Amino acid sequence: MSASPGGERLVDHDADSEDRAVEAALRPRQLREFIGQERVRQQLDLVLRAARERGATADHVLLSGAPGLGKTTLSMIIAAEMGAPIRISSGPAIQHAGDLASILSSLQEGEVLFLDEIHRMSRPAEEMLYMAMEDFRVDVIVGKGPGATAIPLELPPFTLVGATTRAGLLPPPLRDRFGFTAHMEFYAPAELERVVHRSAGLLDVEVDPAGAAEIAGRSRGTPRIANRLLRRVRDYAQIKTDGAIGRETASRALEVYEVDERGLDRLDRAVLQALLKLFGGGPVGLSTLAVAVGEERETVEEVAEPFLVREGLLARTPRGRVATPAAWAHLGLTPPASQPGQPGLFGG
Ligand SMILES: Nc1ncnc2c1ncn2[C@@H]1O[C@H](COP(=O)(O)OP(=O)(O)O)[C@@H](O)[C@H]1O
Ligand SMILES: [Mg+2]
């Protein structure tokens, strides 16, 4: 992975160790504190309020969306709004059905069970979960081989909150057992500005509206990244300036950390630069492109490309990676006139 000054990519969507330490402090605790995601918030509010009014346990909820958009935060909010305790585990942590059985059998009535990365659970655990979700019952297998017997075990009603970055990977029988599915979208710049202001308040950092807008604009639609960039800008401001963070300070700070106006970092720009300067904008194969930037194929494909594709800077075509006109513009380069035998893919 390309190293930014912090040693880890500032614009990575996944949580690093510093994020995890501060995230707890920055998490909204109630639904009305949760910024953006209007539709999801409205729907969830109805689901939870109605359950509360009936004195019932809320239906199972599936949260899907890219890392850093607020899935873990929402799961905790669900528990808080229901006045229920929360148990946290994850798909990869549940290797055997027995691991799941022991979690399920120790749940209290009304408890929220949060399963992060639920798409990475093992098949036998998944099958046990179907039954638990639907009938609040599990079959505990005792013994091995032909002598094994299944002992049915009643569970108290609970609310499963599953989170996944890949809803498409969930087997339909599992997906169908959730009473409510919330798909979380990337945040609009104005929403991220509110996230920045809110976090600045909690971190006791002064940020003016232009400074918040500057940070928000480079945050890739992701609150986790907005919070991380804010902390780096705070460091810069603390050492180099005094007073509130304005546009100038924010943009200088983020230049130091090599995050550009659009949120691209060094790796993203290296990929685009290679594509444009070495391969005339493509098409070029992924492996060739990866060698050109000195990275693993997987890093280019999974770390850099999704954002470049989302931003309309790069396209994945059957013949290889292709730069869009916007990529040339972003790097301030002029695309070559299209050559014979290489028809313009974008009507150019
Ligand atoms: N809607 C939001 N409003 C305010 N802060 C948010 C919001 N969504 C996420 N955050 C912040 O972003 C960070 C990452 O959120 P998290 O719930 O851990 O994301 P996920 O579980 O989807 O990866 C947390 O610090 C959280 O406080
Ligand atoms: Mg999470």
Side-chain angles (χ1 to χ4, degrees):
M1 282 225 190
S2 84
S4 54
E8 291 182 65
R9 287 181 90 231
L10 274 187
V11 295
D12 200 325
H13 294 239
D14 287 320
D16 61 28
S17 48
E18 188 196 354
D19 287 330
R20 279 189 283 270
V22 277
E23 264 173 9
L26 296 181
R27 281 213 162 91
R29 316 236 164 235
Q30 290 170 311
L31 209 46
R32 59 183 166 73
E33 268 187 274
F34 194 81
I35 293 162
Q37 309 288 342
E38 282 315 319
R39 170 106 11 108
V40 167
R41 217 150 34 98
Q42 221 176 14
Q43 293 167 340
L44 201 52
D45 183 50
L46 287 172
V47 169
L48 300 181
R49 261 213 267 180
R52 257 194 331 251
E53 237 180 70
R54 291 192 303 267
T57 300
D59 223 337
H60 306 305
V61 176
L62 179 65
L63 305 171
S64 83
L69 298 188
K71 297 179 298 299
T72 299
T73 304
L74 262 190
S75 75
M76 292 176 175
I77 288 176
I78 290 170
E81 296 277 345
M82 293 306 290
I86 183 167
R87 179 83 58 94
I88 298 175
S89 188
S90 72
I94 297 170
Q95 294 289 328
H96 309 285
D99 300 337
L100 182 64
S102 78
I103 294 173
L104 290 170
S105 60
S106 64
L107 290 175
Q108 301 171 39
E109 177 160 355
E111 191 159 357
V112 170
L113 172 60
F114 177 53
L115 289 184
D116 210 357
E117 299 188 70
I118 194 168
H119 60 278
R120 292 178 57 194
M121 217 164 41
S122 73
R123 198 16 82 86
E126 225 165 60
E127 276 162 16
M128 173 179 278
L129 193 58
Y130 298 161
M131 201 204 267
M133 290 172 78
E134 199 155 84
D135 304 327
F136 298 103
R137 197 165 64 83
V138 288
D139 281 336
V140 180
I141 311 291
V142 179
K144 277 202 167 86
T149 43
I151 300 178
L153 181 70
E154 295 279 325
L155 303 174
F158 66 96
T159 299
L160 177 70
V161 178
T164 180
T165 49
R166 314 277 300 273
L169 292 185
L170 280 192
L174 181 55
R175 232 181 315 165
D176 293 347
R177 282 168 170 81
F178 287 97
F180 172 59
T181 298
H183 182 71
M184 321 223 357
E185 302 286 347
F186 287 98
Y187 290 66
E191 293 167 340
L192 289 179
E193 285 173 39
R194 287 168 57 204
V195 171
V196 170
H197 280 300
R198 181 179 173 278
S199 300
L202 292 169
L203 295 172
D204 206 14
V205 185
E206 243 184 281
V207 180
D208 74 14
E214 191 65 41
I215 295 171
R218 302 185 188 212
S219 299
R220 300 176 170 234
T222 307
R224 172 173 294 135
I225 297 176
N227 284 339
R228 191 183 299 157
L229 296 187
L230 171 66
R231 298 199 302 275
R232 294 294 72 82
V233 173
R234 172 200 57 187
D235 294 348
Y236 177 92
Q238 182 189 322
I239 302 299
K240 301 274 189 191
T241 71
D242 46 5
I245 293 167
R247 183 181 298 284
E248 185 75 22
T249 305
S251 99
R252 285 221 187 120
L254 293 173
E255 217 166 278
V256 170
Y257 291 104
E258 302 185 276
V259 178
D260 74 14
E261 319 79 63
R262 211 161 163 170
L264 276 68
D265 77 352
R266 209 161 54 92
L267 173 64
D268 303 321
R269 277 193 309 273
V271 169
L272 279 191
Q273 234 144 26
L275 181 56
L276 301 184
K277 289 188 175 163
L278 301 178
F279 306 109
V284 62
L286 172 61
S287 306
T288 308
L289 192 56
V291 169
V293 295
E295 290 285 353
E296 299 289 324
R297 211 184 126 93
E298 290 72 27
T299 307
V300 171
E301 185 172 30
E302 288 159 29
V303 179
E305 282 189 351
F307 180 66
L308 296 176
V309 170
R310 182 153 70 80
E311 284 289 291
L313 295 169
L314 178 144
R316 292 166 169 163
T317 76
R319 291 191 301 145
R321 273 49 178 173
V322 178
T324 66
W328 293 94
H330 186 65
L331 291 190
L333 299 169
T334 315
S338 27
Q339 289 147 25
Q342 197 184 322
L345 277 149
F346 298 94

